[in-house]
Amino acid sequence: MLTGYDSCDEMYFDGEHFEIRLDTLNNYFQDDEETDEEFQDIAEHKILEVAGDDLYGRKVIVFAACKLPPSAQIDHQRLLEYMKHVLDQYVENDYVIVYFHFGLTSKNKPKLTWLIQIYRELDRKYKKNLKALYIVHPTNFIRILWNLFKPFIRSVKFGRKIMYVNYLHELKEHLHFDQLVVPPLVLQHDAKLVASNKPKYPYGQDSSDAGTLPTQQYGVSLQHIKSHYGCVIPPAVQQTVDYLRQNALDVEGIFRRSANAVQLKAVQKKFNHGERVDFAVEGDEHIPAVALKIFLRDLQEPLLTFDLYQPVLRLHTVEDERRVAEVRRMLHEELPEDNYQILKFIVQLLTEVVDHSAINKMNSSNLAIVFGPNLLWPKGQASLSSMGYLNNFARFLIDNYSQVFDR
């Protein structure tokens, strides 16, 4: 079981005629390419990955020890710089880290002084919004390391964020397991532990259709929802968007902050039973915001569909002057009509949130980081390099709403 320790500069439009600053448009899709080149020697090992959101709407960062090359073959100082670069994109929001410990050996184990340096350099900016650090397959080395680190760790609160995970299936209580970037070596190690110790082992069983209610909205297809409710916009989307539009446009950090897990589960249960949710009674505007994100992430197929995953990743290769037209074509011709209408409905809300960004502190870039991986993901596991393209695409949709969705 899980146990805690003690502790675009501007874009100008005039009716149907518009002029776009091509240098700005190009920046949407080239910033991440430049960053990838800067840290190419580190990023190619895929030690660090981003795996969407957890069950509570918090970003999931994965660190795999088995992907660390021998110490003589990697510059650990650059690895630290790369880690900070990746985290800098998410630390303003609530997030969690999953650390796969298996695969750390005498050959690739960093020096203790480097680990201490990590803790010191990843200061309050990084620790404040870290909500959980899951250490998967801990060993005695981890326990010894924790005792060594205690003199350097003054925060009891930080210690409580650290959780042991003995078997992978235990993560299912907190994360979307199918979107985790789990290295094959870790999967094999876990299988051996399970075969040897025989714990309760639910993951790997396909129960996606088991016990599905006719009224269910979370974890099903859009077709399932439409067949019962008879409407294109799912009630969960309609109700959350309506409430947020009327009550949450000025709420600081809307869509960025997580929400109470117990309340979220209760809201999902009501929606799944076809009940109407009174968000005013819930008393927290972040509840409907996170409920909307979870709805999108829990769809059996992403709102933008699996078929559009590769075309979106390739969009940065399209000539600058053709990108707006290509995005319009993709959405108008390749996206199912229902998906298009739901996407348009949600993105319109996001443009309204941006209009209030001086108060709520959520501009299009912030919203894109939140919504990019919830609108589109691959059938397999997403790579860290792809996250930038997904986020850029989400930002592009928000910033160019009137030109993209004028069907």
Side-chain angles (χ1 to χ4, degrees):
M1 66 183 289
L2 293 178
T3 55
Y5 279 93
D6 53 353
S7 134
C8 277
D9 302 343
E10 292 282 337
M11 295 187 181
Y12 303 95
F13 300 99
D14 178 18
E16 294 182 356
H17 301 89
F18 56 92
E19 177 184 356
I20 303 176
R21 287 286 303 274
L22 295 181
D23 56 331
T24 298
L25 188 59
N26 195 44
N27 284 340
Y28 274 106
F29 301 95
Q30 288 193 348
D31 288 347
D32 287 276
E33 287 183 281
E34 294 171 1
T35 300
D36 288 346
E37 291 177 3
E38 179 185 356
F39 291 103
Q40 180 61 36
D41 59 319
I42 304 297
E44 65 185 7
H45 296 293
K46 298 185 177 181
I47 301 164
L48 211 60
E49 300 280 4
V50 180
D53 296 346
D54 68 1
L55 297 181
Y56 315 117
R58 306 174 301 199
K59 196 63 63 184
V60 179
I61 313 294
V62 176
F63 188 102
C66 67
K67 294 188 177 182
L68 282 168
S71 296
Q73 298 177 17
I74 188 170
D75 184 337
H76 286 100
Q77 185 59 39
R78 279 186 55 72
L79 174 58
L80 176 55
E81 292 171 4
Y82 177 64
M83 291 167 59
K84 292 169 69 174
H85 163 73
V86 172
L87 292 174
D88 281 343
Q89 302 174 56
Y90 304 104
V91 294
E92 293 302 319
N93 310 325
D94 294 343
Y95 72 104
V96 303
I97 294 177
V98 177
Y99 168 63
F100 292 121
H101 179 62
F102 179 76
L104 191 68
T105 68
S106 58
K107 292 182 178 180
N108 67 358
K109 186 184 300 180
K111 294 181 179 178
L112 180 60
T113 52
W114 183 76
L115 298 177
I116 294 174
Q117 181 187 3
I118 286 181
Y119 183 81
R120 286 175 170 169
E121 291 202 21
L122 298 183
D123 54 19
R124 187 176 183 276
K125 167 186 173 182
Y126 299 92
K127 300 183 181 79
K128 180 179 65 172
N129 290 329
L130 175 65
K131 299 306 177 183
L133 169 57
Y134 300 102
I135 300 178
V136 183
H137 301 139
T139 62
N140 287 333
F141 170 77
I142 289 292
R143 295 170 174 83
I144 294 171
L145 192 63
W146 175 252
N147 289 327
L148 291 173
F149 262 75
K150 277 188 176 180
F152 302 95
I153 299 176
R154 299 182 178 89
S155 172
V156 174
K157 185 177 179 181
F158 178 79
R160 291 171 180 163
K161 297 178 181 181
I162 302 176
M163 308 295 287
Y164 281 145
V165 180
N166 296 316
Y167 305 98
L168 288 174
H169 70 258
E170 295 170 5
L171 289 172
K172 272 198 163 183
E173 184 180 351
H174 304 275
L175 310 171
H176 296 282
F177 184 81
D178 60 346
Q179 75 186 42
L180 275 182
V181 185
V182 185
L185 286 175
V186 175
L187 288 170
Q188 294 167 16
H189 177 68
D190 189 73
K192 290 178 181 178
L193 291 177
V194 168
S196 174
N197 301 326
K198 295 181 173 56
K200 185 179 179 182
Y201 190 58
Y203 95 82
Q205 298 174 0
D206 186 4
S207 57
S208 57
D209 296 325
T212 300
L213 300 169
T215 54
Q216 191 156 329
Q217 298 188 64
Y218 283 81
V220 295
S221 66
L222 292 175
Q223 291 76 14
H224 175 91
I225 300 171
K226 185 179 181 181
S227 67
H228 178 81
Y229 292 96
C231 51
V232 172
I233 308 296
V237 174
Q238 185 77 56
Q239 291 179 41
T240 53
V241 169
D242 286 350
Y243 184 85
L244 291 166
R245 176 173 285 124
Q246 296 171 19
N247 301 279
L249 295 182
D250 291 334
V251 173
E252 184 171 339
I254 194 65
F255 289 117
R256 184 178 67 199
R257 294 297 181 186
S258 56
N260 182 276
V262 174
Q263 288 179 280
L264 277 173
K265 288 183 181 297
V267 164
Q268 288 178 255
K269 185 176 181 180
K270 288 181 179 179
F271 275 135
N272 282 339
H273 283 82
E275 300 175 26
R276 186 169 185 83
V277 176
D278 186 350
F279 288 111
V281 173
E282 299 297 332
D284 181 2
E285 288 83 358
H286 296 292
I287 295 290
V290 177
L292 176 59
K293 292 192 299 179
I294 293 176
F295 172 87
L296 292 171
R297 185 64 223 192
D298 278 0
L299 286 171
Q300 290 182 354
E301 181 175 16
L303 184 59
L304 283 167
T305 73
F306 291 125
D307 289 342
L308 279 184
Y309 182 77
Q310 288 301 329
V312 166
L313 293 193
R314 291 194 299 265
L315 194 60
H316 71 284
T317 66
V318 176
E319 293 86 348
D320 303 341
E321 63 272 14
R322 291 187 54 246
R323 284 189 182 139
V324 170
E326 177 60 15
V327 171
R328 280 173 48 84
R329 187 201 64 76
M330 286 168 52
L331 299 186
H332 290 195
E333 297 180 10
E334 299 185 34
L335 196 63
E337 180 65 26
D338 289 358
N339 297 55
Y340 177 91
Q341 293 299 335
I342 297 168
L343 178 66
K344 179 179 180 180
F345 187 68
I346 293 172
V347 176
Q348 182 179 6
L349 171 69
L350 300 185
T351 65
E352 295 172 32
V353 173
V354 172
D355 289 342
H356 292 248
S357 61
I359 300 174
N360 62 41
K361 313 300 182 186
M362 293 299 290
N363 58 29
S364 59
S365 295
N366 296 333
L367 289 170
I369 290 174
V370 171
F371 277 89
N374 290 318
L375 291 173
L376 186 59
W377 60 87
K379 289 184 177 179
Q381 296 173 336
S383 66
L384 179 57
S385 60
S386 70
M387 297 298 291
Y389 296 127
L390 299 182
N391 296 344
N392 285 339
F393 185 72
R395 179 187 169 196
F396 190 85
L397 296 180
I398 298 169
D399 286 346
N400 299 280
Y401 172 81
S402 58
Q403 279 59 53
V404 171
F405 293 99
D406 63 348
R407 175 181 280 180

